[in-house]
Structure formats: structure tokens, C-alpha cells
């Protein structure tokens, strides 16, 4: 009995042992199969996943191409920039990480909000810029603390730098953060603190200046700190952009405009190279390229002198008497003007129920073509305009580049305006009136021109050819076709413009330079920004200095130099500066003297004349 019980127990034990052994065998087989699957079948996959934890692929931003002047001087370049970034996936407490970092460097509430907002919107493994433009001391402290603060990455990058600041602000523009509308799958655009062109030439040629990203594969530890570099493909720097601008002339022109609002454009008469295109006041692109404060931005928007407007190409002004040569040429070409014929100027010109006035209250007396330009007699042009007609005047104006965009590669170029009956009917549905022709003949009424157009007008007048402005040095210079205007007529204009400065009664004679090396010629212009009432005329018109700044006349001057062998064309506009003779002609004199002394076109330097900036009166 006992033996039977022992046998039964033995059988039960054997079955249980077999079951356990069978289970172990099945489990072992399963483990073996799983190990085979992991190590053989999916080994490569898991190796790649492991490598992704160990290896980090980083995109390397390319150095942005430089913008340089005609002699290679830098207008926009790059300089070292010490930065600190944070990688959200490498820290379990992003807010805490920022707080610890804030004990080393200043992090504003706006910085914190920006970082946290970006962390929610982008992939967690992408770095986010916390601060740039750090001092070396701050950067060193962050490097020491990076072992203790998880997720931060000290980096050395490049930032955009504009050596001449506001002097080139409107021209070259500035870079800035990538707008959401420009975001794409291009990883370069998603790099932290990557900048693209936002205004000016930086924007127009962003693709060319941007370059191509490089890559860097590095091994990192569990904290994300770089252990070693595995391989690297260097980025391709952007191409340089060579301009026709002369940096020294650009800076000097801006300095000379001083605190006033206005523009100065200087061209190479022969081929239209833009040597200077200054607009003032301006903005500092170095500030714009970083992050302008709300206070500073509001100050720019609220400045009545409009520092954000590129006045050289976007500013549109009544050209005043600077277009009297156009009216004269229209009359000469039509055979209506004889240079020797005289018109009597009493200071008043009646037309219907209206009376049009000459700027000189007592009039100029008997005036011929030459004197009408030298002394800028308005009445002479009232007479000529009535006989010539608005259609001929408008046609001649367009031949000289007025009323059209001239194609400079900077956003915002305005077309100006050459009014005629077709334009007025299209805009108002009304017919043209004779008085409007008289206003156009002295550059008033609905006439508008940009400073660049006025400089081109002078270049065409001097050469007799369709000169077009050129801003890129590498752009091919096409042979300019003739304007088709009698050379003798153009010579009459140039002779009169010479006496505007040289003759004792010339409107710009007070700006004449004694040294004949720096002689220049031109035409003054004064454009009203408001209608003068009859009561004001009867009581005596107030001087510009007695009026609020916004109600003062614009001062203009167009000219060329040197007189004997013209090389430079210039246009000056001083907003609300008063008369062209007092506000604009002295500025043109100093800029042209600087250009000639520096010999921008030949680069043979001589002693430079002194520079005296204008001071804006309140």
C-alpha cells in the first residue's frame, strides 16, 4: 500500500517536472527566437535607433554673403556672435532650465515667453535661441555651467553687421527672423536664429546672399553634450553682392543732410552708376537685425520726418522749377521758342478769373530763355506752356525718365507722376483746364518726381542719351540709345544751368565755389506743399521759418559737375527746407565737391573739402 502511494507520488512529480521542463523549454525557445529576431532580423533597425540616441545630426548655417561697394568696402558683413540655445527634449523642466540660466545672464519675460511659445510649436529636438550677442564673460560662464544645467547649448555663430549703420539703412536694408509665411521644409529656415533679408537689397537678393547649409554629425552623451564629431560637410557661403555705390560718398552725403529730412542721389553721368543714394533720417539696421524694442519702433513710426521711408526712390515730391528745362526743350523742339525772344514778367499772369504769380513779387521784366532759367522766372514758363500745350510737355518729361519706375532692385520704387488730360480723366472723369498746364510748367499741381528720377533727368540732359540707373556693379552696361533731341538745345540748357551758379543773378550763385576745380552747374527748385491764399499774398507771405515745419516748402536742386567735363549728376531734396537756393544748393555743392576731390570715378585722392552737416530748424 505504501509502495503504491509512493509510486503514485512519483508519477505526479514526474508529470509536474515534465511540465516545468516543457514550459522552460518553450520559454527558452521563445527567448531564443526573440533574441534572434532582435539581433538578426531587426538588428540593423535597432542599431539605427541606438545611434539616433547616441548621434546627433546638426545643420550648420552658412555665412551670409557680403554687400560691398564699388571698391570692395563692406556695407554689410558678418561678425562673431556668442549665443545660448536650449533643446526642450534634453530637459524635463524647461521653465526651471530658463530660471537657472537666468541666474547667469539677463533673460527678459519676453525672452521666456518667446522660448516657451516656440517650444510648443516646433519639434522638441530642435534648439531654440535664448539669447544672442552675449559678452565673452557671459558666454564663458554659460560654458562652465552647461554641465549642471541640462538642455542648454552654448554656441558661437555669426551675426549680420552693418559698419556704417544708418547711412546705409534704406539702401541695404536689414535681416530678420524668418516670417511664418516663408517657413517651408527647408531645414535651413528652421535653424534657431536664422535670419533672412527683410528689407532693401538684403531682401531683394536674399536667395543669393543666403548660401547653403552644411551638416555635422556628432556623438553626444546622455545629457546631450557633444563627445566627438563623426563627420562634417561645411556650409557654402552666400555670394557677395558688389554695388556701384561709393561707401565714403554715401556716408558723407548722409552726414551732410544732417538732422534734416531729405535725399541726395549722385550718378555717374556716363553709365548711370548710382554712386550715392542717401535718405535721411534713416534707421540703424544693426538694431533691426537683432530685435528692435516696441518703444524704439513706435518712435520710428511717430517721427514726422518718416525715417522708415526710402526717400530716394519712394519719396514723391513736386519737382518745382527743376523741370523748367523740360518745358523749354518741349518748346524748342516744337519750334515755339526762339532763345532770343523775350517775355515781359510783371510778377503776375492773369488767366480767366485767376492770377498766377511769379516767385519774384515785382517780376523780372523782359526775360529771354537763358535768363528765365538763370533767375527761374515763372511767368516766362506760363507763356511757353500755354503755347506748347500739356501733351508736348508730358511727352518730353517721360523721355527724361519722369513718371516711370526706373528698375532699381530695391522694393518700394515709386513711379512719380506726369499729369496730362488722359490721366486726369481716368482719375476724376473731368476735363483738363488751362490753369493746370501753367502749374505743371513750374513743377507744381499734380506733378510728382522721385529724387532718383531727377538725377536721371540730369544725366540724360547732359549726355543726350537714355541713361538708366545701375546699382549692381556686375550688371552689364548697355549702350544707351540717343534721346533724339537736338544737341544744340541741350547745350542751351547746360549753359543756363552753368550760370544758375556762376552768374551774379543766378539763383544758386551764393553756393558758387571759388576753386574752379570744384565748379558745378544746376537748377534750383522750390515746391509748395500748400496753397497760398489771396489774403496771405496781400498781407505779405510769411517766410518759411515762420511756418510750422510741415507747411514749409521743399527745397530742391539738380545739377552736374564738373562744368567743363561733366561726370557726376546730382539731385537734392530737402523736405520742408525752404527755398532750393538756400536749403538744397549748398548741400549739392558740398557733396559734388567731395565726389570730385575724392575722384570717385578715378580714385585719385586729393585733399577733401570740409564737411558741414545741415541742422534742422524746429
Amino acid at each position: 500500500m505504501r509502495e503504491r502511494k509512493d509510486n503514485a507520488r512519483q508519477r505526479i512529480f514526474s508529470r509536474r517536472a515534465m511540465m516545468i521542463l516543457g514550459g522552460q523549454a518553450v520559454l527558452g525557445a521563445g527567448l531564443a527566437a526573440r533574441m534572434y529576431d532582435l539581433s538578426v532580423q531587426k538588428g540593423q533597425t535597432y542599431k539605427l535607433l541606438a545611434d539616433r540616441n547616441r548621434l546627433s545630426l546638426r545643420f550648420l548655417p552658412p555665412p551670409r554673403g557680403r554687400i560691398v561697394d564699388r571698391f570692395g568696402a563692406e556695407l554689410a558683413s558678418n561678425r562673431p556672435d556668442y549665443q545660448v540655445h536650449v533643446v526642450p527634449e534634453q530637459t524635463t523642466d524647461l521653465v526651471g532650465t530658463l530660471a537657472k540660466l537666468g541666474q547667469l545672464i539677463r533673460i527678459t519675460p519676453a525672452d521666456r515667453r518667446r522660448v516657451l511659445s516656440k517650444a510648443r510649436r516646433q519639434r522638441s529636438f530642435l534648439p531654440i535661441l535664448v539669447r544672442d550677442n552675449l559678452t565673452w564673460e557671459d558666454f564663458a560662464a554659460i560654458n562652465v555651467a552647461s554641465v549642471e544645467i541640462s538642455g542648454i547649448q552654448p554656441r558661437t555663430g555669426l551675426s549680420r553687421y552693418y559698419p556704417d549703420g544708418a547711412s546705409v539703412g534704406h539702401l541695404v536694408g536689414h535681416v530678420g527672423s524668418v516670417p511664418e509665411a516663408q517657413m517651408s521644409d527647408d531645414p535651413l529656415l528652421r535653424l534657431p536664429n536664422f535670419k533672412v533679408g527683410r528689407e532693401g537689397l538684403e531682401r531683394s537678393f536674399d536667395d543669393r546672399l543666403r548660401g547653403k547649409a552644411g551638416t555635422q554629425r556628432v556623438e553626444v552623451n546622455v545629457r546631450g553634450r557633444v563627445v566627438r564629431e563623426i563627420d562634417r560637410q561645411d556650409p557654402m557661403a552666400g555670394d557677395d553682392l558688389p554695388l556701384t555705390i561709393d561707401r565714403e560718398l554715401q556716408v558723407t552725403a548722409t552726414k551732410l543732410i544732417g538732422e534734416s529730412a531729405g535725399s541726395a542721389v549722385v550718378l555717374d553721368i556716363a553709365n548711370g552708376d548710382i554712386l550715392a543714394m542717401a535718405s535721411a533720417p534713416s534707421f540703424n539696421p544693426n538694431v533691426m537685425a537683432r530685435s528692435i524694442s516696441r518703444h524704439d519702433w513706435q518712435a520710428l513710426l511717430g517721427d514726422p520726418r518718416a525715417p522708415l521711408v526710402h526717400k530716394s526712390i519712394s519719396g514723391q515730391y513736386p519737382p518745382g522749377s527743376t523741370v523748367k528745362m523740360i518745358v523749354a526743350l518741349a518748346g524748342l523742339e516744337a519750334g515755339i521758342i526762339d532763345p532770343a525772344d523775350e517775355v515781359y514778367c510783371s510778377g503776375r499772369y492773369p488767366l480767366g478769373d485767376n492770377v498766377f504769380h511769379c516767385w519774384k513779387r515785382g517780376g523780372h521784366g523782359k526775360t529771354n530763355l537763358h535768363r528765365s532759367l538763370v533767375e527761374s522766372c515763372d511767368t516766362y514758363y506760363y507763356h511757353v506752356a500755354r503755347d506748347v500745350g500739356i501733351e508736348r510737355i508730358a511727352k518730353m518729361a517721360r523721355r527724361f525718365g519722369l513718371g516711370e519706375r526706373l528698375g532699381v532692385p530695391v522694393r518700394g520704387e515709386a513711379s512719380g507722376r506726369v499729369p496730362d488730360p488722359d490721366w486726369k480723366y481716368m482719375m476724376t472723369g473731368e476735363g483738363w483746364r488751362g490753369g493746370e498746364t501753367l502749374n505743371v510748367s513750374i513743377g507744381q499741381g499734380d506733378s510728382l518726381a522721385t529724387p532718383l528720377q531727377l538725377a536721371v533727368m540730369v544725366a540724360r540732359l547732359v549726355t543726350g542719351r537714355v541713361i538708366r540707373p545701375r546699382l549692381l556693379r556686375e550688371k552689364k552696361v548697355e549702350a544707351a540709345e540717343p534721346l533724339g533731341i537736338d544737341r544744340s538745345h541741350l547745350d542751351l540748357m547746360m549753359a543756363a544751368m552753368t550760370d544758375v551758379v556762376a552768374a551774379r543773378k543766378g539763383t544758386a550763385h551764393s553756393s558758387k565755389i571759388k576753386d574752379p576745380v570744384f565748379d558745378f552747374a544746376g537748377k534750383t527748385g522750390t515746391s509748395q506743399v500748400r496753397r497760398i491764399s489771396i489774403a496771405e499774398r496781400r498781407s505779405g507771405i510769411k517766410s518759411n521759418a515762420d511756418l510750422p515745419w510741415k507747411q514749409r516748402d521743399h527745397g530742391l536742386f539738380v545739377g552736374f559737375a564738373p562744368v567743363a567735363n561733366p561726370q557726376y549728376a546730382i539731385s537734392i531734396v530737402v523736405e520742408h527746407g525752404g527755398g532750393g537756393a538756400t536749403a538744397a544748393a549748398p548741400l549739392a555743392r558740398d557733396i559734388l565737391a567731395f565726389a570730385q576731390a575724392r575722384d570717385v570715378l578715378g580714385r585719385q585722392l586729393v585733399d577733401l573739402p570740409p564737411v558741414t552737416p545741415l541742422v534742422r530748424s524746429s
Side-chain angles (χ1 to χ4, degrees):
M1 185 64 132
R2 182 182 178 90
E3 184 178 349
R4 245 191 332 270
K5 287 182 180 180
D6 287 341
N7 289 336
R9 241 190 251 108
Q10 184 66 35
R11 286 195 297 272
I12 293 172
F13 175 79
S14 297
R15 285 197 300 270
R16 288 178 178 174
M18 290 297 293
M19 290 176 64
I20 292 172
L21 289 173
Q24 288 177 339
V26 171
L27 181 61
L31 288 173
R34 182 60 176 162
M35 289 177 65
Y36 176 80
D37 180 60
L38 291 176
S39 62
V40 178
Q41 300 283 10
K42 297 179 180 178
Q44 190 62 30
T45 299
Y46 287 107
K47 182 178 184 300
L48 289 174
L49 291 174
D51 283 345
R52 286 181 183 177
N53 289 329
R54 181 175 62 89
L55 302 178
S56 175
L57 181 66
R58 300 181 176 184
F59 288 97
L60 304 175
R64 194 170 177 84
R66 302 175 307 153
I67 301 176
V68 298
D69 83 342
R70 64 192 296 109
F71 302 118
E74 292 180 343
L75 302 177
S77 59
N78 306 299
R79 64 178 180 181
D81 179 20
Y82 300 118
Q83 309 166 354
V84 59
H85 300 250
V86 62
V87 182
E89 76 169 6
Q90 293 178 5
T91 176
T92 56
D93 182 8
L94 182 56
V95 175
T97 294
L98 293 175
K100 292 177 182 177
L101 189 58
Q103 296 174 4
L104 300 175
I105 59 172
R106 182 172 179 267
I107 300 178
T108 66
D111 291 331
R112 286 188 174 85
R113 288 193 298 271
R114 173 179 54 79
V115 172
L116 294 174
S117 173
K118 202 162 188 177
R120 288 191 295 270
R121 289 185 286 113
Q122 72 176 32
R123 296 174 182 177
S124 62
F125 64 83
L126 290 173
I128 301 172
L129 174 73
V130 181
R131 278 279 311 277
D132 59 358
N133 293 296
L134 296 169
T135 65
W136 170 250
E137 290 75 15
D138 286 342
F139 186 67
I142 291 170
N143 271 276
V144 172
S146 62
V147 177
E148 304 297 330
I149 305 176
S150 61
I152 65 169
Q153 289 184 354
R155 292 187 179 184
T156 303
L158 292 174
S159 65
R160 201 58 162 168
Y161 178 59
Y162 305 94
D164 298 306
S167 295
V168 299
H170 291 105
L171 177 63
V172 302
H174 61 88
V175 296
S177 300
V178 183
E180 288 293 335
Q182 280 186 253
M183 283 292 187
S184 66
D185 293 334
D186 185 351
L188 187 59
L189 297 179
R190 297 187 177 276
L191 289 176
N193 202 36
F194 185 74
K195 302 291 180 68
V196 295
R198 299 296 295 269
E199 292 295 339
L201 292 168
E202 292 276 27
R203 174 170 177 156
S204 299
F205 295 94
D206 182 61
D207 288 343
R208 171 175 173 172
L209 293 166
R210 187 187 298 175
K212 295 183 178 179
T215 55
Q216 179 191 39
R217 200 155 57 106
V218 296
E219 183 178 352
V220 295
N221 61 19
V222 292
R223 288 182 173 271
R225 191 174 182 83
V226 176
V227 176
R228 64 189 178 98
E229 182 178 86
I230 307 299
D231 58 51
R232 177 188 186 95
Q233 181 179 351
D234 290 329
M236 292 178 60
D239 294 334
D240 288 348
L241 191 67
L243 306 183
T244 60
I245 294 291
D246 175 57
R247 173 178 174 266
E248 294 296 330
L249 185 61
Q250 175 79 16
V251 171
T252 298
T254 306
K255 180 179 178 181
L256 283 167
I257 296 174
E259 298 177 8
S260 297
S263 167
V265 177
V266 184
L267 301 181
D268 177 350
I269 279 179
N271 60 13
D273 277 4
I274 301 174
L275 304 175
M277 193 160 61
S279 178
S282 184
F283 56 86
N284 189 340
N286 290 305
V287 175
M288 294 288 203
R290 294 194 292 270
S291 180
I292 188 169
S293 68
R294 181 180 294 274
H295 176 269
D296 290 343
W297 178 248
Q298 291 299 324
L300 289 173
L301 290 177
D303 191 328
R305 298 173 299 160
L308 295 176
V309 176
H310 189 178
K311 297 177 174 64
S312 299
I313 61 170
S314 300
Q316 301 184 92
Y317 309 91
S321 295
T322 62
V323 296
K324 286 178 177 175
M325 291 86 70
I326 301 296
V327 180
L329 287 168
L332 288 167
E333 186 171 78
I336 292 171
I337 293 179
D338 184 319
D341 287 347
E342 293 181 331
V343 168
Y344 184 78
C345 171
S346 65
R348 294 164 54 87
Y349 184 87
L351 180 67
D353 295 332
N354 295 318
V355 176
F356 290 80
H357 297 267
C358 183
W359 69 269
K360 189 175 183 180
R361 293 191 67 186
H364 290 88
K366 292 182 178 181
T367 307
N368 61 16
L369 174 61
H370 186 83
R371 187 185 176 197
S372 74
L373 287 170
V374 173
E375 299 182 32
S376 200
C377 174
D378 294 335
T379 304
Y380 182 92
Y381 291 91
Y382 297 150
H383 281 277
V384 171
R386 286 197 67 185
D387 294 335
V388 173
I390 186 61
E391 288 84 0
R392 289 193 184 102
I393 294 172
K395 183 178 178 181
M396 184 63 72
R398 294 187 181 103
R399 288 165 74 180
F400 279 83
L402 302 179
E404 66 167 297
R405 292 184 178 89
L406 297 168
V408 291
V410 181
R411 192 171 67 120
E413 184 186 4
S415 61
R417 184 190 301 146
V418 175
D420 61 15
D422 290 340
W423 168 83
K424 184 181 180 185
Y425 186 79
M426 182 180 66
M427 297 300 294
T428 68
E430 298 178 358
W432 189 263
R433 298 180 179 179
E436 292 174 290
T437 302
L438 271 57
N439 281 329
V440 169
S441 73
I442 60 169
Q444 292 288 162
D446 291 308
S447 298
L448 292 174
T450 68
L452 178 62
Q453 289 173 338
L454 294 176
V456 168
M457 178 188 76
V458 174
R460 293 185 179 186
L461 188 152
V462 172
T463 63
R465 294 185 173 274
V466 185
I467 301 298
R468 292 197 170 274
R470 186 178 75 137
L471 188 55
L472 296 189
R473 184 74 173 163
E474 61 195 17
K475 185 179 178 182
K476 184 179 179 181
V477 180
E478 302 288 345
E481 63 270 22
L483 276 171
I485 296 177
D486 192 317
R487 183 68 248 180
S488 66
H489 295 169
L490 298 174
D491 290 342
L492 287 172
M493 300 301 102
M494 292 178 64
M497 293 170 74
T498 298
D499 278 349
V500 166
V501 178
R504 185 175 59 83
K505 289 188 176 181
T507 54
H509 182 66
S510 61
S511 296
K512 177 178 172 59
I513 297 179
K514 293 181 179 179
D515 188 342
V517 172
F518 301 118
D519 62 355
F520 70 107
K523 182 71 189 77
T524 57
T526 302
S527 61
Q528 297 171 0
V529 298
R530 67 189 185 97
R531 187 179 180 86
I532 300 173
S533 67
I534 295 175
E536 282 182 303
R537 288 192 183 277
R538 288 175 177 171
S539 62
I541 302 171
K542 293 180 179 180
S543 68
N544 271 273
D546 297 329
L547 296 171
W549 182 72
K550 274 284 189 180
Q551 294 183 18
R552 300 175 191 174
D553 300 336
H554 297 319
L556 299 94
F557 185 88
V558 298
F560 59 88
V563 170
N565 180 29
Q567 298 181 62
Y568 305 95
I570 193 169
S571 74
I572 301 290
V573 175
V574 180
E575 290 184 358
H576 310 294
T582 56
L587 188 55
R589 173 199 63 205
D590 292 345
I591 293 174
L592 286 172
F594 184 92
Q596 294 177 83
R598 178 174 166 76
D599 192 10
V600 173
L601 299 178
R603 201 69 189 276
Q604 297 173 3
L605 306 186
V606 298
D607 291 336
L608 301 177
V611 171
T612 305
L614 293 179
V615 177
R616 173 178 173 244
S617 55
S618 59

